[in-house]
Coordinates of all heavy atoms in Angstrom, one line a residue:
M1 N 35.4 -5.5 15.9 CA 34.5 -5.7 14.8 C 33.1 -6.1 15.4 O 33.0 -6.9 16.3 CB 35.0 -6.9 14.0 CG 34.1 -7.2 12.8 SD 34.7 -8.6 11.9 CE 35.5 -7.8 10.6
P2 N 32.0 -5.5 14.9 CA 30.7 -5.8 15.4 C 30.3 -7.2 15.1 O 30.6 -7.8 14.1 CB 29.8 -4.8 14.7 CG 30.6 -3.9 13.9 CD 32.0 -4.5 13.9
K3 N 29.5 -7.8 16.0 CA 28.9 -9.1 15.9 C 27.8 -9.1 14.8 O 27.0 -8.2 14.8 CB 28.4 -9.6 17.2 CG 27.8 -11.0 17.1 CD 27.2 -11.4 18.4 CE 26.5 -12.7 18.3 NZ 25.8 -13.1 19.4
E4 N 27.8 -10.1 14.0 CA 26.8 -10.2 13.0 C 25.5 -10.6 13.6 O 25.5 -11.6 14.4 CB 27.2 -11.2 11.9 CG 26.2 -11.3 10.8 CD 26.6 -12.2 9.7 OE1 27.8 -12.2 9.3 OE2 25.8 -13.0 9.2
V5 N 24.4 -10.0 13.3 CA 23.1 -10.3 13.8 C 22.2 -10.7 12.6 O 22.1 -10.0 11.6 CB 22.5 -9.1 14.6 CG1 21.0 -9.4 15.0 CG2 23.3 -8.7 15.7
T6 N 21.5 -11.8 12.8 CA 20.6 -12.3 11.7 C 19.2 -12.0 12.2 O 18.8 -12.4 13.3 CB 20.8 -13.8 11.4 OG1 22.2 -14.0 11.0 CG2 19.9 -14.3 10.4
V7 N 18.4 -11.4 11.4 CA 17.0 -11.2 11.7 C 16.2 -12.1 10.9 O 16.6 -12.6 9.8 CB 16.5 -9.7 11.5 CG1 17.3 -8.8 12.4 CG2 16.7 -9.3 10.0
E8 N 15.0 -12.4 11.4 CA 14.1 -13.3 10.7 C 12.7 -12.6 10.5 O 12.4 -11.7 11.3 CB 13.8 -14.6 11.5 CG 15.0 -15.4 11.8 CD 14.6 -16.5 12.8 OE1 13.9 -17.4 12.4 OE2 15.1 -16.5 13.9
Q9 N 12.0 -13.0 9.5 CA 10.6 -12.4 9.3 C 9.6 -13.6 9.1 O 10.0 -14.5 8.4 CB 10.6 -11.5 8.1 CG 11.2 -10.1 8.4 CD 10.9 -9.1 7.3 OE1 10.8 -9.5 6.2 NE2 10.8 -7.9 7.7
E10 N 8.5 -13.4 9.6 CA 7.3 -14.3 9.4 C 6.1 -13.4 9.2 O 6.1 -12.3 9.6 CB 7.1 -15.2 10.6 CG 8.3 -16.2 10.8 CD 8.4 -17.3 9.7 OE1 7.4 -17.5 9.0 OE2 9.5 -17.9 9.6
T11 N 5.1 -14.0 8.6 CA 3.8 -13.4 8.5 C 2.8 -14.0 9.5 O 2.8 -15.2 9.6 CB 3.2 -13.5 7.1 OG1 4.1 -12.9 6.2 CG2 1.9 -12.8 7.0
I12 N 2.1 -13.2 10.3 CA 1.1 -13.7 11.2 C -0.3 -13.1 10.8 O -0.4 -12.1 10.1 CB 1.4 -13.4 12.7 CG1 1.4 -11.9 12.9 CG2 2.7 -14.0 13.1 CD1 1.4 -11.4 14.4
E13 N -1.3 -13.8 11.2 CA -2.7 -13.3 11.0 C -3.4 -13.3 12.3 O -3.4 -14.3 13.1 CB -3.4 -14.2 10.0 CG -4.8 -13.6 9.6 CD -5.4 -14.3 8.5 OE1 -4.7 -15.0 7.7 OE2 -6.7 -14.2 8.4
V14 N -4.0 -12.2 12.7 CA -4.7 -12.0 13.9 C -6.0 -11.3 13.6 O -6.0 -10.2 13.0 CB -3.9 -11.2 14.9 CG1 -4.6 -11.0 16.2 CG2 -2.5 -11.8 15.2
N15 N -7.1 -11.9 14.0 CA -8.4 -11.4 13.7 C -8.6 -10.9 12.3 O -9.2 -9.8 12.0 CB -8.7 -10.2 14.7 CG -8.7 -10.6 16.1 OD1 -9.0 -11.8 16.5 ND2 -8.2 -9.7 17.0
G16 N -8.1 -11.7 11.4 CA -8.3 -11.4 9.9 C -7.3 -10.4 9.4 O -7.4 -10.1 8.2
N17 N -6.4 -9.9 10.2 CA -5.4 -8.9 9.7 C -4.1 -9.6 9.6 O -3.6 -10.3 10.5 CB -5.3 -7.7 10.7 CG -6.6 -7.0 10.8 OD1 -7.1 -6.5 9.8 ND2 -7.2 -6.9 12.0
K18 N -3.4 -9.4 8.5 CA -2.0 -10.0 8.3 C -1.0 -8.9 8.6 O -1.1 -7.7 8.3 CB -1.8 -10.5 6.9 CG -2.6 -11.7 6.6 CD -2.3 -12.3 5.3 CE -3.1 -13.6 5.1 NZ -2.8 -14.2 3.8
F19 N 0.0 -9.3 9.4 CA 1.2 -8.5 9.7 C 2.5 -9.2 9.4 O 2.5 -10.4 9.5 CB 1.1 -8.1 11.2 CG -0.1 -7.4 11.7 CD1 -1.1 -8.0 12.3 CD2 -0.2 -6.0 11.5 CE1 -2.3 -7.3 12.7 CE2 -1.3 -5.3 11.9 CZ -2.3 -6.0 12.5
T20 N 3.5 -8.5 9.2 CA 4.8 -9.0 9.1 C 5.5 -8.8 10.5 O 5.3 -7.8 11.1 CB 5.7 -8.3 8.0 OG1 5.1 -8.4 6.8 CG2 7.1 -8.8 8.0
V21 N 6.2 -9.8 10.9 CA 6.9 -9.7 12.2 C 8.3 -10.0 12.0 O 8.7 -11.0 11.4 CB 6.3 -10.8 13.2 CG1 7.1 -10.7 14.5 CG2 4.9 -10.6 13.5
T22 N 9.2 -9.0 12.4 CA 10.6 -9.1 12.3 C 11.2 -9.4 13.6 O 10.9 -8.7 14.6 CB 11.2 -7.8 11.7 OG1 10.6 -7.5 10.5 CG2 12.7 -7.9 11.6
R23 N 12.0 -10.5 13.7 CA 12.6 -10.9 15.0 C 14.0 -10.4 15.0 O 14.8 -10.6 14.1 CB 12.7 -12.4 15.0 CG 13.4 -13.0 16.3 CD 13.5 -14.5 16.1 NE 13.6 -15.1 17.4 CZ 13.4 -16.4 17.7 NH1 13.2 -17.2 16.7 NH2 13.5 -16.8 18.9
I24 N 14.3 -9.6 16.1 CA 15.6 -9.0 16.3 C 16.2 -9.6 17.6 O 15.7 -9.2 18.7 CB 15.5 -7.5 16.3 CG1 14.8 -6.9 15.1 CG2 16.9 -6.9 16.5 CD1 14.4 -5.5 15.2
P25 N 17.2 -10.4 17.5 CA 17.8 -11.0 18.7 C 18.4 -9.9 19.6 O 18.9 -9.0 19.1 CB 18.8 -12.0 18.2 CG 18.6 -12.1 16.7 CD 17.8 -10.9 16.3
T26 N 18.4 -10.2 20.9 CA 19.0 -9.3 21.8 C 20.3 -9.9 22.4 O 20.6 -11.1 22.1 CB 18.1 -8.9 23.0 OG1 17.8 -10.1 23.8 CG2 16.8 -8.3 22.5
A27 N 21.0 -9.2 23.2 CA 22.2 -9.8 23.8 C 21.9 -10.8 24.9 O 22.8 -11.6 25.3 CB 23.1 -8.7 24.4
T28 N 20.6 -10.9 25.3 CA 20.2 -11.9 26.4 C 19.5 -13.0 25.7 O 19.7 -13.2 24.5 CB 19.2 -11.2 27.4 OG1 18.1 -10.8 26.7 CG2 19.9 -10.0 28.1
S29 N 18.7 -13.8 26.4 CA 18.1 -14.9 25.8 C 16.8 -14.6 25.0 O 16.1 -15.4 24.5 CB 17.7 -16.0 26.8 OG 16.8 -15.4 27.8
G30 N 16.5 -13.3 24.9 CA 15.3 -12.9 24.3 C 15.5 -12.2 22.9 O 16.6 -12.1 22.4
S31 N 14.3 -11.8 22.4 CA 14.3 -11.1 21.1 C 13.2 -10.1 21.1 O 12.2 -10.2 21.9 CB 14.0 -12.1 19.9 OG 15.0 -13.1 19.8
W32 N 13.4 -9.0 20.3 CA 12.3 -8.1 20.1 C 11.6 -8.6 18.8 O 12.3 -9.0 17.8 CB 12.9 -6.7 19.9 CG 13.1 -6.0 21.1 CD1 14.3 -5.8 21.8 CD2 12.1 -5.3 22.0 NE1 14.1 -5.0 22.9 CE2 12.8 -4.8 23.1 CE3 10.7 -5.2 21.9 CZ2 12.1 -4.1 24.1 CZ3 10.0 -4.5 22.9 CH2 10.7 -3.9 23.9
F33 N 10.3 -8.5 18.8 CA 9.5 -8.9 17.7 C 8.7 -7.6 17.3 O 7.9 -7.2 18.0 CB 8.6 -10.0 18.0 CG 9.3 -11.3 18.3 CD1 9.8 -11.5 19.6 CD2 9.6 -12.2 17.4 CE1 10.5 -12.7 19.9 CE2 10.3 -13.4 17.6 CZ 10.7 -13.6 18.9
V34 N 9.1 -7.1 16.1 CA 8.5 -5.9 15.6 C 7.3 -6.2 14.7 O 7.5 -6.9 13.7 CB 9.5 -5.0 14.9 CG1 8.9 -3.7 14.4 CG2 10.7 -4.7 15.8
V35 N 6.1 -5.8 15.0 CA 4.9 -6.0 14.3 C 4.6 -4.9 13.4 O 4.5 -3.7 13.8 CB 3.7 -6.3 15.2 CG1 2.5 -6.6 14.5 CG2 4.0 -7.4 16.3
H36 N 4.6 -5.1 12.1 CA 4.4 -4.0 11.1 C 3.7 -4.5 9.8 O 3.6 -5.7 9.6 CB 5.8 -3.4 10.8 CG 6.8 -4.4 10.3 ND1 7.1 -4.6 9.0 CD2 7.6 -5.2 11.0 CE1 8.0 -5.5 8.8 NE2 8.4 -5.9 10.0
D37 N 3.3 -3.5 9.0 CA 2.9 -3.8 7.7 C 3.8 -3.1 6.7 O 4.9 -2.6 7.2 CB 1.4 -3.5 7.5 CG 1.1 -2.0 7.7 OD1 2.0 -1.2 7.7 OD2 -0.1 -1.7 7.9
A38 N 3.4 -2.9 5.5 CA 4.3 -2.3 4.5 C 4.6 -0.8 4.8 O 5.6 -0.3 4.4 CB 3.7 -2.5 3.1
F39 N 3.7 -0.2 5.6 CA 3.8 1.2 5.8 C 4.1 1.7 7.2 O 4.6 2.8 7.4 CB 2.5 1.9 5.4 CG 2.1 1.6 4.0 CD1 1.1 0.6 3.7 CD2 2.7 2.1 2.9 CE1 0.7 0.3 2.5 CE2 2.4 1.8 1.6 CZ 1.4 0.9 1.4
E40 N 3.9 0.9 8.2 CA 3.9 1.4 9.6 C 4.3 0.3 10.6 O 3.9 -0.9 10.4 CB 2.5 1.9 9.9 CG 2.4 2.5 11.2 CD 1.0 3.2 11.4 OE1 0.1 3.0 10.6 OE2 0.8 3.9 12.4
I41 N 5.0 0.7 11.6 CA 5.3 -0.2 12.7 C 4.1 -0.1 13.7 O 3.8 1.0 14.1 CB 6.6 0.1 13.4 CG1 7.8 -0.2 12.5 CG2 6.8 -0.6 14.7 CD1 9.1 0.3 13.0
W42 N 3.5 -1.2 14.1 CA 2.4 -1.2 14.9 C 2.7 -1.3 16.4 O 2.2 -0.7 17.3 CB 1.4 -2.2 14.5 CG 0.8 -2.0 13.2 CD1 1.2 -2.5 12.0 CD2 -0.3 -1.1 12.9 NE1 0.4 -1.9 11.0 CE2 -0.5 -1.1 11.5 CE3 -1.1 -0.3 13.7 CZ2 -1.5 -0.3 10.9 CZ3 -2.1 0.5 13.0 CH2 -2.3 0.4 11.7
A43 N 3.7 -2.2 16.7 CA 4.1 -2.5 18.0 C 5.3 -3.3 18.0 O 5.8 -3.8 17.0 CB 3.0 -3.3 18.7
A44 N 5.9 -3.5 19.2 CA 7.1 -4.4 19.4 C 6.9 -5.1 20.7 O 6.5 -4.4 21.7 CB 8.4 -3.6 19.3
V45 N 7.2 -6.3 20.8 CA 7.2 -7.1 22.0 C 8.5 -7.9 22.2 O 9.0 -8.4 21.3 CB 5.9 -8.1 22.0 CG1 6.0 -9.1 20.9 CG2 5.8 -8.8 23.4
A46 N 8.9 -7.8 23.5 CA 10.1 -8.6 23.8 C 9.7 -9.9 24.5 O 8.9 -9.9 25.4 CB 11.0 -7.8 24.8
I47 N 10.2 -11.0 23.9 CA 9.8 -12.3 24.4 C 11.1 -13.1 24.7 O 12.0 -13.1 23.9 CB 9.0 -13.1 23.4 CG1 7.7 -12.3 23.0 CG2 8.6 -14.5 23.9 CD1 6.9 -12.9 21.9
D48 N 11.1 -13.8 25.9 CA 12.2 -14.7 26.2 C 12.1 -16.0 25.3 O 11.1 -16.6 25.2 CB 12.1 -15.2 27.7 CG 13.2 -16.1 28.1 OD1 13.4 -17.2 27.5 OD2 14.0 -15.7 29.0
D49 N 13.1 -16.2 24.5 CA 13.1 -17.3 23.5 C 12.9 -18.7 24.1 O 12.5 -19.6 23.4 CB 14.3 -17.2 22.6 CG 14.4 -16.0 21.8 OD1 13.4 -15.4 21.4 OD2 15.6 -15.6 21.5
F50 N 13.4 -18.9 25.3 CA 13.4 -20.2 25.9 C 12.1 -20.5 26.7 O 11.5 -21.6 26.6 CB 14.6 -20.4 26.8 CG 15.9 -20.3 26.0 CD1 16.7 -19.2 26.2 CD2 16.2 -21.2 25.0 CE1 17.9 -19.1 25.5 CE2 17.4 -21.1 24.3 CZ 18.2 -20.0 24.5
S51 N 11.6 -19.5 27.5 CA 10.4 -19.8 28.3 C 9.2 -19.3 27.7 O 8.1 -19.7 28.0 CB 10.6 -19.0 29.7 OG 10.5 -17.6 29.5
G52 N 9.3 -18.4 26.7 CA 8.1 -17.8 26.1 C 7.5 -16.7 26.9 O 6.4 -16.2 26.6
D53 N 8.1 -16.3 28.0 CA 7.6 -15.2 28.8 C 7.7 -13.9 28.1 O 8.6 -13.6 27.4 CB 8.5 -15.0 30.1 CG 8.3 -16.2 31.1 OD1 7.2 -16.9 31.0 OD2 9.2 -16.4 31.9
I54 N 6.6 -13.1 28.2 CA 6.6 -11.7 27.7 C 7.4 -10.8 28.6 O 7.1 -10.7 29.8 CB 5.1 -11.2 27.5 CG1 4.3 -12.2 26.6 CG2 5.1 -9.8 27.0 CD1 4.8 -12.4 25.2
V55 N 8.4 -10.2 28.1 CA 9.3 -9.3 28.9 C 8.7 -7.9 28.9 O 8.8 -7.2 29.9 CB 10.7 -9.4 28.4 CG1 11.6 -8.5 29.2 CG2 11.2 -10.8 28.4
G56 N 8.2 -7.4 27.8 CA 7.7 -6.1 27.7 C 7.2 -5.7 26.3 O 7.4 -6.4 25.4
W57 N 6.4 -4.6 26.3 CA 5.9 -4.1 25.0 C 6.3 -2.7 24.8 O 6.5 -1.9 25.7 CB 4.3 -4.1 25.1 CG 3.7 -5.4 24.8 CD1 3.4 -6.4 25.7 CD2 3.2 -5.9 23.5 NE1 2.7 -7.4 25.0 CE2 2.7 -7.1 23.7 CE3 3.3 -5.3 22.2 CZ2 2.1 -7.9 22.6 CZ3 2.8 -6.1 21.2 CH2 2.2 -7.3 21.4
R58 N 6.4 -2.3 23.5 CA 6.5 -0.9 23.1 C 5.3 -0.7 22.3 O 5.0 -1.4 21.3 CB 7.8 -0.7 22.2 CG 9.0 -0.9 22.9 CD 9.5 0.5 23.4 NE 10.8 0.3 24.0 CZ 11.5 1.3 24.3 NH1 11.1 2.6 24.1 NH2 12.6 1.2 24.9
N59 N 4.6 0.4 22.6 CA 3.3 0.7 21.9 C 2.4 -0.5 21.8 O 2.0 -1.0 20.7 CB 3.6 1.2 20.4 CG 2.5 1.8 19.8 OD1 1.6 2.4 20.5 ND2 2.4 1.7 18.5
P60 N 2.0 -1.1 23.0 CA 1.2 -2.3 23.0 C -0.2 -2.1 22.4 O -0.8 -1.0 22.5 CB 1.1 -2.6 24.5 CG 1.3 -1.3 25.2 CD 2.3 -0.5 24.3
P61 N -0.7 -3.1 21.7 CA -2.1 -3.0 21.2 C -3.1 -3.1 22.4 O -2.7 -3.4 23.5 CB -2.2 -4.2 20.3 CG -1.2 -5.2 20.9 CD -0.1 -4.4 21.4
D62 N -4.3 -2.8 22.1 CA -5.3 -2.9 23.1 C -5.4 -4.4 23.6 O -5.0 -5.3 22.9 CB -6.7 -2.4 22.7 CG -7.2 -3.0 21.5 OD1 -7.0 -4.3 21.3 OD2 -7.9 -2.4 20.7
E63 N -6.0 -4.6 24.7 CA -6.1 -6.0 25.3 C -6.8 -6.9 24.4 O -6.5 -8.1 24.4 CB -6.8 -5.8 26.7 CG -6.5 -7.0 27.6 CD -5.0 -7.1 28.0 OE1 -4.4 -6.1 28.3 OE2 -4.5 -8.3 28.0
K64 N -7.7 -6.5 23.6 CA -8.5 -7.3 22.7 C -7.6 -8.0 21.7 O -7.9 -9.2 21.3 CB -9.5 -6.4 22.0 CG -10.3 -7.1 20.9 CD -11.2 -6.1 20.2 CE -11.7 -6.5 18.9 NZ -12.4 -5.5 18.2
H65 N -6.5 -7.4 21.3 CA -5.6 -8.0 20.3 C -4.3 -8.5 20.8 O -3.6 -9.3 20.2 CB -5.3 -6.9 19.2 CG -6.5 -6.4 18.5 ND1 -7.3 -7.2 17.7 CD2 -7.1 -5.2 18.5 CE1 -8.3 -6.5 17.2 NE2 -8.2 -5.2 17.7
R66 N -3.9 -8.1 22.0 CA -2.6 -8.4 22.5 C -2.3 -9.9 22.6 O -1.3 -10.4 22.2 CB -2.4 -7.8 23.9 CG -1.0 -7.9 24.4 CD -0.8 -7.2 25.7 NE -1.3 -5.8 25.6 CZ -1.3 -4.9 26.6 NH1 -0.8 -5.2 27.7 NH2 -1.8 -3.7 26.4
S67 N -3.3 -10.7 23.2 CA -3.1 -12.1 23.4 C -2.9 -12.8 22.1 O -2.1 -13.7 21.9 CB -4.3 -12.7 24.2 OG -4.1 -14.1 24.4
G68 N -3.8 -12.4 21.1 CA -3.7 -13.1 19.8 C -2.4 -12.8 19.1 O -1.8 -13.7 18.5
I69 N -1.9 -11.6 19.2 CA -0.6 -11.3 18.6 C 0.5 -12.1 19.3 O 1.4 -12.6 18.6 CB -0.3 -9.8 18.7 CG1 -1.3 -9.0 17.8 CG2 1.1 -9.4 18.3 CD1 -1.3 -7.5 17.9
E70 N 0.5 -12.1 20.6 CA 1.6 -12.9 21.4 C 1.6 -14.3 20.9 O 2.6 -14.9 20.6 CB 1.3 -12.7 22.9 CG 1.6 -11.4 23.4 CD 1.2 -11.2 24.9 OE1 0.6 -12.1 25.4 OE2 1.4 -10.1 25.4
T71 N 0.4 -14.9 20.9 CA 0.3 -16.4 20.6 C 0.7 -16.6 19.1 O 1.5 -17.6 18.8 CB -1.1 -16.9 20.8 OG1 -1.5 -16.7 22.2 CG2 -1.3 -18.3 20.4
A72 N 0.3 -15.7 18.2 CA 0.7 -15.9 16.8 C 2.2 -15.8 16.6 O 2.8 -16.5 15.8 CB -0.1 -14.9 15.9
I73 N 2.8 -14.9 17.3 CA 4.3 -14.7 17.2 C 5.0 -15.9 17.7 O 5.9 -16.5 17.1 CB 4.8 -13.4 17.9 CG1 4.3 -12.2 17.2 CG2 6.3 -13.4 18.1 CD1 4.6 -10.9 18.0
K74 N 4.6 -16.4 18.8 CA 5.2 -17.6 19.4 C 5.1 -18.8 18.5 O 6.0 -19.6 18.3 CB 4.6 -17.9 20.8 CG 5.0 -16.9 21.9 CD 4.3 -17.2 23.2 CE 4.6 -16.1 24.2 NZ 3.9 -16.5 25.5
K75 N 3.9 -19.0 17.9 CA 3.7 -20.1 17.0 C 4.6 -20.0 15.7 O 5.2 -20.9 15.3 CB 2.3 -20.3 16.6 CG 1.4 -20.8 17.8 CD 0.0 -21.0 17.4 CE -0.8 -21.5 18.6 NZ -2.2 -21.7 18.3
A76 N 4.6 -18.7 15.2 CA 5.4 -18.5 13.9 C 6.9 -18.7 14.1 O 7.6 -19.1 13.2 CB 5.1 -17.1 13.4
F77 N 7.4 -18.4 15.3 CA 8.8 -18.5 15.5 C 9.2 -19.7 16.4 O 10.3 -19.7 16.9 CB 9.3 -17.2 16.2 CG 9.3 -16.0 15.2 CD1 8.3 -15.2 15.1 CD2 10.4 -15.8 14.3 CE1 8.2 -14.1 14.2 CE2 10.4 -14.8 13.4 CZ 9.3 -13.9 13.3
D78 N 8.3 -20.6 16.7 CA 8.5 -21.8 17.4 C 9.0 -21.5 18.8 O 10.0 -22.1 19.3 CB 9.5 -22.7 16.7 CG 9.4 -24.2 17.2 OD1 8.3 -24.6 17.7 OD2 10.4 -24.9 17.1
I79 N 8.3 -20.6 19.5 CA 8.7 -20.3 20.9 C 7.6 -21.0 21.8 O 6.4 -21.0 21.4 CB 8.6 -18.7 21.1 CG1 9.7 -18.1 20.2 CG2 8.8 -18.3 22.6 CD1 9.5 -16.6 20.1
P80 N 8.0 -21.5 23.0 CA 7.1 -22.1 23.8 C 5.8 -21.3 24.2 O 6.0 -20.1 24.4 CB 7.9 -22.4 25.1 CG 9.3 -22.4 24.7 CD 9.4 -21.4 23.6
V81 N 4.7 -21.9 24.1 CA 3.4 -21.2 24.4 C 3.0 -21.8 25.8 O 2.7 -23.0 25.8 CB 2.3 -21.4 23.3 CG1 1.0 -20.8 23.8 CG2 2.8 -20.9 22.0
Q82 N 2.9 -21.0 26.8 CA 2.4 -21.4 28.1 C 1.0 -21.7 28.0 O 0.2 -21.0 27.4 CB 2.7 -20.4 29.2 CG 4.2 -20.1 29.3 CD 4.5 -18.7 29.3 OE1 3.7 -17.8 29.0 NE2 5.7 -18.3 29.7
S83 N 0.6 -22.8 28.8 CA -0.9 -23.1 28.8 C -1.6 -22.4 29.9 O -1.0 -21.8 30.8 CB -1.0 -24.6 28.9 OG -0.2 -25.2 29.9

């Protein structure tokens, strides 16, 4: 029988743009965070839930927006933010 997986959603705002972020837990200590709006998936980032380390990106945004998205996701899902 497959294991039940619970996903969570939060809304983030980066540079005046609002996005929905869906958290999809993985089999390890991390999760994939899919950044999307009502019509399109913009990107996905894998983050270690305990350390806050960025594990990798799928379709990463440009450098101008990446840091803001990472920080907003960590704050919305209560993941450690490294200083």
